[in-house]
Amino acid sequence: MSISENDNTFSFIVHDVHPGAVGIDLQAGRYFTSLVQENVTETSELPTAPILHVDATKGYFSIRPRFTLPNPPHRFLGPRYRRLEELVIEGHFRDDDLPHDDASTRLFIRVYTPPSFIHDPLYGLGIMKEMHPLITAIEELKGVATLVISDRNKTHLDENTFYLAREDYDALRAASMTVARHYQGESLEDRRILAHNATLHRAHPDLFPEKATPYRAGTVFKLLGSKGSAGVKLSPRDRAGMIAALSSEARKISKSEKHAAIQLQQGIELLNLNQLIAAFERRLSGSQAEKEWQDLFQRNPFILSMTLGYPITVLQPHAHAGGMTLQGNGNKIADFLAKTQTTHNAALIEIKTPKTELLGEQYRVGVFGPSRFLTGAVVQVLDQRRLFIEEIATLKHRSRIQDLEAHAVDCVIVAGRTPMEPSRQASFELIRHQYKDVTVLTFDELLEKLKLLQSLLAQETEPTTVAAYQTSEDALDLSELLEDSAGGDDDFFAVGPAVDDEFEDLL
């Protein structure tokens, strides 16, 4: 005898447990039973499973959600969820409200279950899919098998039972429904765009331009501004897009979110200074050539300002200071030609290496003279200054610049490491303070200047800003973002202004 799909209903079977309490089983319809069992007839016993327990004396009822799909057969009428076995709802009802048959059970479920609970036994009861993340979250708690939606307790965990206060459940449900409706709307819009591009645009691209998914307000904040965004890793394209967005919105941000803009600027400056100090220290511990140090300073001219103690503009690295003979040789080249930003007074900067010896042999006990390398560097930069002053008019004319002066040209040499022994330190200080027109700085002294600035910036930057922009493997690395936008240059850290393009062709 064939079984009709009209026999596919699930029904409730009620039995008494004790006065004021009933147990309710879910019984499968004959059609569904035939899908999981062979040789099902009208007289075959239909499978059942406990699904409800209602106790009016204690003011609660419990639901054991069931799996009602025929595939896989071994799960049929088994637990619906992976670990959570029971949903308990606290409430207030009387003995007269107790279910006594299938119809009254269905009415009881519709009246007393909270919103977003399933009412139809065909789906095995439980919670609707929009609220399923609640089940997933509870199942992360090892050993928890019961969820109680409580009118009497605050939200808390008690051994193998999780209590969720009714007001917390209602708030979670309202927020979940809002999110679901929002993304349903976005999904519909995205599908319309896909349909447009696949049909109208493909058939008549001139009449129907291709559509792109529009920017949705709040998207960036949800990704990067929320509390859980510390571990976000951006792709190179996303980093480039963020830089472009910040650049285009900079004026608006500076007006509407002035404090946040200042915090961002301070955070980025501190990050980049940290990166610069790290690069400086790596080079100090290596055996870098003079040219590589010159390249580092050229990419980060901010460091050169610290050698002079006042703001400068780097006009030209490897600048020709003059001295060319008629035969075309003898030209004097300074590592860096700079000028003050206010009076345009020129300065010459010579960069050696940390391995440059500053002191020569011991002359008397505890007394050392200058090394030939230091003496040579001093004479070299003074000779460059002499020639520059003599030929500045010609240099300005040929370079077509006027805002460059030689009132009192400062000369700076960066060379060597600070001596460690007290007697050598004393000799070094005596020597360099006798150079009336030349300032001699060691590489570790320049590093200390950078660290001092780092300390000052850290004090000015709010603690939350520093924490938000720390460099770590798990955090969003703003300095890495800036480096990527600069073309991946490992030695550029955007701490100060770059070389002035106007003077790139200075002789």
Side-chain angles (χ1 to χ4, degrees):
M1 177 179 178
S2 64
I3 297 175
S4 169
E5 291 190 15
N6 292 330
D7 297 325
N8 70 350
T9 58
F10 285 76
S11 58
F12 293 114
I13 300 176
V14 182
H15 57 87
D16 292 330
V17 176
H18 60 75
V22 296
I24 302 169
D25 296 338
L26 179 66
Q27 185 177 64
R30 201 171 304 280
Y31 174 74
F32 272 95
T33 302
S34 69
L35 297 178
V36 296
Q37 296 180 7
E38 296 180 354
N39 303 320
V40 176
T41 67
E42 290 187 355
T43 59
S44 297
E45 184 176 353
L46 300 178
T48 61
I51 194 169
L52 277 169
H53 178 85
V54 184
D55 193 331
T57 63
K58 296 182 180 179
Y60 79 90
F61 66 95
S62 64
I63 303 172
R64 290 182 173 270
R66 295 297 171 180
F67 186 84
T68 55
L69 295 177
N71 288 309
H74 71 274
R75 288 197 58 193
F76 188 65
L77 291 187
R80 179 187 182 96
Y81 303 125
R82 191 162 49 96
R83 295 177 183 172
L84 199 61
E85 300 174 1
E86 186 178 31
L87 306 175
V88 177
I89 294 92
E90 296 177 347
H92 303 281
F93 42 86
R94 301 168 299 177
D95 290 354
D96 295 343
D97 298 323
L98 289 176
H100 53 83
D101 58 15
D102 179 78
S104 61
T105 300
R106 293 171 185 262
L107 177 62
F108 180 89
I109 291 171
R110 285 196 298 270
V111 172
Y112 287 105
T113 54
S116 294
F117 269 64
I118 299 170
H119 297 160
D120 194 336
L122 179 63
Y123 303 107
L125 304 187
I127 293 180
M128 293 181 178
K129 64 179 182 179
E130 290 84 2
M131 288 291 291
H132 193 267
L134 169 62
I135 302 299
T136 304
I138 299 300
E139 288 188 328
E140 291 184 16
L141 299 170
K142 187 176 181 180
V144 173
T146 302
L147 169 63
V148 179
I149 298 178
S150 178
D151 292 329
R152 308 159 196 165
N153 295 277
K154 294 182 178 180
T155 298
H156 71 283
L157 175 63
D158 184 5
E159 296 183 354
N160 65 342
T161 301
F162 190 89
Y163 289 84
L164 180 62
R166 176 71 72 120
E167 59 267 26
D168 292 338
Y169 172 81
D170 291 339
L172 172 63
R173 175 187 171 275
S176 297
M177 294 301 104
T178 299
V179 170
R181 287 192 296 270
H182 173 74
Y183 283 106
Q184 285 172 357
E186 287 190 356
S187 172
L188 177 60
E189 184 178 4
D190 290 343
R191 283 178 280 142
R192 285 173 175 168
I193 292 172
L194 289 173
H196 169 91
N197 293 339
T199 56
L200 301 180
H201 172 69
R202 179 162 295 184
H204 298 286
D206 295 336
L207 294 177
F208 301 98
E210 184 176 11
K211 292 183 178 180
T213 303
Y215 166 75
R216 297 180 174 105
T219 301
V220 176
F221 175 79
K222 283 188 289 187
L223 176 64
L224 301 177
S226 59
K227 293 181 179 178
S229 64
V232 172
K233 283 286 187 180
L234 296 181
S235 69
R237 290 180 62 187
D238 289 337
R239 293 189 185 107
M242 178 176 289
I243 289 293
L246 283 173
S247 298
S248 63
E249 294 289 316
R251 187 177 298 276
K252 295 178 182 178
I253 293 173
S254 65
K255 291 181 178 179
S256 59
E257 289 89 18
K258 185 174 181 179
H259 182 64
I262 293 174
Q263 284 188 319
L264 176 62
Q265 180 184 3
Q266 291 176 337
I268 291 175
E269 287 179 350
L270 183 57
L271 261 179
N272 285 313
L273 185 56
N274 293 342
Q275 295 285 331
L276 177 57
I277 289 173
F280 202 103
E281 289 177 331
R282 285 195 302 270
R283 289 178 181 273
L284 275 181
S285 61
S287 57
Q288 303 292 345
E290 181 175 324
K291 184 180 183 304
E292 296 189 24
W293 279 102
Q294 293 169 354
D295 290 343
L296 176 65
F297 291 160
Q298 181 176 339
R299 293 187 179 99
N300 300 274
F302 153 77
I303 308 175
L304 299 176
S305 289
M306 305 197 74
T307 66
L308 292 160
Y310 49 77
I312 63 170
T313 298
V314 177
L315 300 182
Q316 181 67 36
H318 309 298
H320 294 242
M324 184 177 293
T325 66
L326 292 176
Q327 289 76 27
N329 53 25
N331 192 33
K332 310 297 183 179
I333 300 176
D335 287 338
F336 291 97
L337 171 63
K339 68 169 185 174
T340 63
Q341 294 180 359
T342 52
T343 65
H344 311 296
N345 188 53
L348 297 174
I349 304 170
E350 275 296 315
I351 307 297
K352 301 304 179 182
T353 74
K355 293 185 176 295
T356 300
E357 295 180 9
L358 300 177
L359 299 177
E361 296 180 358
Q362 184 171 239
Y363 180 72
R364 291 283 189 272
V365 177
V367 177
F368 298 85
S371 71
R372 63 185 182 90
F373 304 102
L374 177 58
T375 302
V378 171
V379 174
Q380 176 189 13
V381 73
L382 288 174
D383 186 49
Q384 291 169 355
R385 185 182 72 164
R386 176 184 64 80
L387 292 171
F388 176 77
I389 293 172
E390 289 177 356
E391 301 188 19
I392 185 171
T394 303
L395 292 173
K396 290 171 64 174
H397 174 72
R398 289 177 178 174
S399 304
R400 298 181 181 179
I401 60 173
Q402 297 303 316
D403 53 349
L404 178 63
E405 304 297 339
H407 302 306
V409 179
D410 282 325
C411 297
V412 176
I413 296 172
V414 180
R417 303 289 294 269
T418 303
M420 300 299 294
E421 298 177 7
S423 60
R424 289 180 174 271
Q425 290 177 351
S427 294
F428 175 62
E429 292 293 354
L430 289 170
I431 291 168
R432 69 170 169 180
H433 280 85
Q434 299 308 309
Y435 297 141
K436 179 173 66 71
D437 296 325
V438 179
T439 299
V440 178
L441 287 173
T442 63
F443 280 85
D444 37 3
E445 286 175 331
L446 193 52
L447 176 62
E448 288 304 312
K449 285 178 177 283
L450 291 173
K451 289 183 176 181
L452 176 60
L453 179 60
Q454 178 191 44
S455 175
L456 294 174
L457 277 178
Q459 293 175 13
E460 293 177 1
T461 306
E462 294 185 9
T464 54
T465 305
V466 176
Y469 298 119
Q470 281 180 339
T471 302
S472 72
E473 293 182 357
D474 298 327
L476 174 62
D477 193 339
L478 290 181
S479 61
E480 182 182 349
L481 184 152
L482 287 172
E483 290 168 19
D484 285 345
S485 69
D489 194 332
D490 292 336
D491 287 334
F492 176 70
F493 302 101
V495 180
V499 175
D500 194 332
D501 293 337
E502 181 181 353
F503 304 106
E504 276 290 336
D505 299 324
L506 180 59
L507 286 185

